[in-house]
Amino acid sequence: MLPNRMQLSRQTEEQLKKLKSYTGITPNVAARLAFFRSVESEYRYSSDRDNQKLDGILVLDKITWLGETLQITELALKILYPQIEDKSLIKAWAAHVEDGISALRNYRNLKDFSFGI
């Protein structure tokens, strides 16, 4: 499934950190919300269109990134992308987080954020 050490693109990471400064929601929790928001919006990753570089500084283990959503996240990725090998699923996960955070990144406080999701 997903590798034990995971990271995002620098741009996505900056958006997660910016959201934390506004709302107090940690980057790993925001990444979980962003991933599922992206899946629900029917965004689909395509390795053909992928030019994303996973060059973020924040490298965490997958249990920290995914928490209690670890199994459902891996299962969702396997169902959505059965043709993608395990090593490439990290890019699909990162693409979903990037897509999902675009809808969440502009909230300025926790109250607005909670109403927005």
Side-chain angles (χ1 to χ4, degrees), residues 5-52:
R5 306 293 286 168
M6 298 168 44
Q7 69 190 97
L8 297 165
S9 70
R10 193 171 302 224
Q11 176 184 354
T12 304
E13 192 175 287
E14 288 172 7
Q15 292 171 356
L16 289 169
K17 288 178 181 179
K18 186 176 176 185
L19 183 64
K20 181 182 183 207
S21 71
Y22 293 142
T23 64
I25 297 174
T26 59
N28 56 335
V29 172
R32 295 173 205 167
L33 294 169
F35 172 81
F36 287 106
R37 185 175 185 103
S38 175
V39 169
E40 287 177 347
S41 74
E42 298 184 14
Y43 167 81
R44 295 300 174 256
Y45 167 75
S46 172
S47 58
D48 299 335
R49 295 180 286 154
D50 181 37
N51 59 356
Q52 180 177 342

Side-chain angles (χ1 to χ4, degrees), residues 4-114:
N4 285 327
R5 306 293 286 168
M6 298 168 44
Q7 69 190 97
L8 297 165
S9 70
R10 193 171 302 224
Q11 176 184 354
T12 304
E13 192 175 287
E14 288 172 7
Q15 292 171 356
L16 289 169
K17 288 178 181 179
K18 186 176 176 185
L19 183 64
K20 181 182 183 207
S21 71
Y22 293 142
T23 64
I25 297 174
T26 59
N28 56 335
V29 172
R32 295 173 205 167
L33 294 169
F35 172 81
F36 287 106
R37 185 175 185 103
S38 175
V39 169
E40 287 177 347
S41 74
E42 298 184 14
Y43 167 81
R44 295 300 174 256
Y45 167 75
S46 172
S47 58
D48 299 335
R49 295 180 286 154
D50 181 37
N51 59 356
Q52 180 177 342
K53 204 172 158 186
L54 302 181
D55 57 354
I57 298 168
L58 191 60
V59 180
L60 301 173
D61 58 12
K62 70 179 175 182
I63 194 68
T64 304
W65 275 120
L66 305 176
E68 293 180 0
T69 67
L70 172 65
Q71 290 178 325
I72 192 66
T73 300
E74 288 185 332
L75 183 61
L77 287 168
K78 272 303 196 188
I79 290 170
L80 292 172
Y81 309 107
Q83 74 285 3
I84 294 179
E85 59 187 59
D86 286 351
K87 289 184 178 183
S88 298
L89 281 178
I90 182 73
K91 287 196 165 209
W93 171 77
H96 275 285
V97 173
E98 181 176 13
D99 177 69
I101 200 62
S102 64
L104 303 174
R105 68 179 171 218
N106 294 323
Y107 290 104
R108 300 290 184 210
N109 58 55
L110 189 56
K111 180 181 173 187
D112 292 343
F113 181 85
S114 63

